[in-house]
């Protein structure tokens, strides 16, 4: 038996293990759902026919999503997390051997799925300031089947203004897939443009600002033609009835969602200020702190691995990259404890 190398070379996803009091590593919301809302969801779940397959079109969840973002439901496809949608797009909208353009730094899953789909993946480096080089991206994408990137970006936290995204959509002949996983924290979305462009697909998720990482719901938004193909290509029952029910309930909670979002933006700005103060105080250890359009902060440091390990020993999880740390916003208490931890690490007794 011969299994393909693209499979056997894979390393299993390494979820963080060990006991962490403070989790600032996965860009989740630090708000759990209020108890009254959990009760309302529990009542809805009681009414489910657990013996029946779920709605393949996730109608209630899609309608709630479309209403929340004020877009037509006919442009929306639901996925088992936006991760699944990325997998469907690479496997079904693109052909083996065709070219997918990504940028670096960016979300690592794009290249993971591109490799499994046997695509040629071309990486366009970002500028010195970690911004997308729009002209280089346009040039690299002229013979590409698709371009995919996150905006605002995970892990840099930087955003590309809407006018620049429009320039990309108009100058790139292939598909332009804009992953707006963090766009709830900024306001330069191109969601409203999907009907105007034949080559635009926007991805959204319930895992970040919406606070439903446990539930696995993501959405792809595109014109009705692309949406028709996407709905045809996905597996019929990709979103289970429990997730659909929960997402439909929570997406109706407009004022709750907006106040959680606003609170996270405030905490992220405090985290940014705090990291800047620490970087000024300990310039040997911390380098640039990047301005953030997301719910996390990216700090450049040559000691990412060491600091990551020292924080972990204190029960604090952050995300480590070769050249920096990605730290998600937390509650006031969590961020205060993070500050104490940094002070102890950099100034040991
Ligand atoms: C977290 C994240 C996602 C979300 O994936 P889900 O599968 O919906 O949880 C997608 N794209 C980016 C860039 C992310 O950071």
């Amino acid at each position: 038996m011969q299994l393909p190398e693209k499979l056997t070379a894979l390393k299993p996803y390494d979820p963080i293990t060990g006991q962490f009091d403070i989790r600032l590593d996965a860009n989740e919301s630090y708000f759990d759902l209020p108890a009254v809302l959990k009760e309302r969801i529990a009542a809805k779940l009681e009414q489910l026919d657990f013996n029946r397959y779920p709605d393949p079109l996730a109608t209630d969840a899609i309608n709630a999503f479309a209403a929340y973002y004020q877009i037509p439901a006919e442009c929306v496809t639901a996925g088992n997390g936006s991760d699944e949608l990325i997998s469907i797009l690479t496997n079904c909208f693109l052909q083996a051997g065709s070219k997918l353009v990504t940028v670096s730094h960016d979300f690592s899953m794009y290249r993971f799925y591109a490799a499994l789909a046997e695509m040629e993946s071309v990486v366009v480096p970002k500028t010195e300031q970690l911004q997308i080089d729009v002209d280089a991206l346009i040039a690299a994408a002229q013979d590409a089947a698709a371009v995919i990137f996150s905006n605002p970006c995970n892990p840099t936290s930087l955003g590309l203004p809407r006018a620049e995204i429009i320039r990309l959509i108009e100058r790139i002949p292939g598909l332009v897939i804009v992953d707006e996983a963090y766009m709830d924290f900024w306001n330069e979305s191109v969601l409203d443009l999907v009907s105007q462009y034949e080559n635009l697909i926007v991805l959204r998720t319930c895992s970040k600002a919406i606070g439903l990482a446990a539930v696995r719901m993501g959405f792809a938004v595109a014109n009705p033609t692309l949406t028709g193909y996407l709905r045809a290509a996905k597996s019929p029952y990709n979103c289970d009835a429990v997730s659909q029910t929960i997402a439909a309930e929570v997406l109706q909670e407009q004022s709750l969602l907006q106040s959680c979002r606003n609170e996270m933006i405030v905490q992220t700005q405090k985290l940014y200020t705090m990291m800047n103060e620490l970087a000024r105080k300990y310039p040997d250890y911390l380098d640039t702190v990047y301005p953030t359009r997301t719910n996390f902060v990216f700090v450049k440091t040559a000691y990412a691995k060491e600091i990551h390990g020292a924080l972990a020993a204190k029960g604090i999880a952050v995300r480590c990259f070769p050249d920096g740390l990605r730290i998600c916003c937390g509650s006031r208490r969590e961020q205060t404890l993070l500050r104490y931890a940094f002070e102890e690490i950099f100034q040991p007794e």
Side-chain angles (χ1 to χ4, degrees), residues 26-28 79-86 106-110 113 149-155 179-182 203-208 212-214 216-219 295-296 326:
N27 298 345
E28 299 142 327
N80 198 297
S82 46
D83 239 89
E84 187 203 18
L85 295 165
I86 298 165
D106 206 347
F107 191 46
S108 60
M109 296 313 288
Y110 308 144
Y113 288 121
F149 59 90
S150 56
N151 189 46
C153 169
N154 174 11
D179 183 348
E180 294 189 349
Y182 300 93
L203 299 176
R204 288 282 184 139
T205 177
C206 290
S207 304
K208 308 289 158 53
L212 290 180
R216 310 307 301 134
M217 280 296 275
F219 297 92
N295 63 335
F296 57 86
R326 192 194 68 197

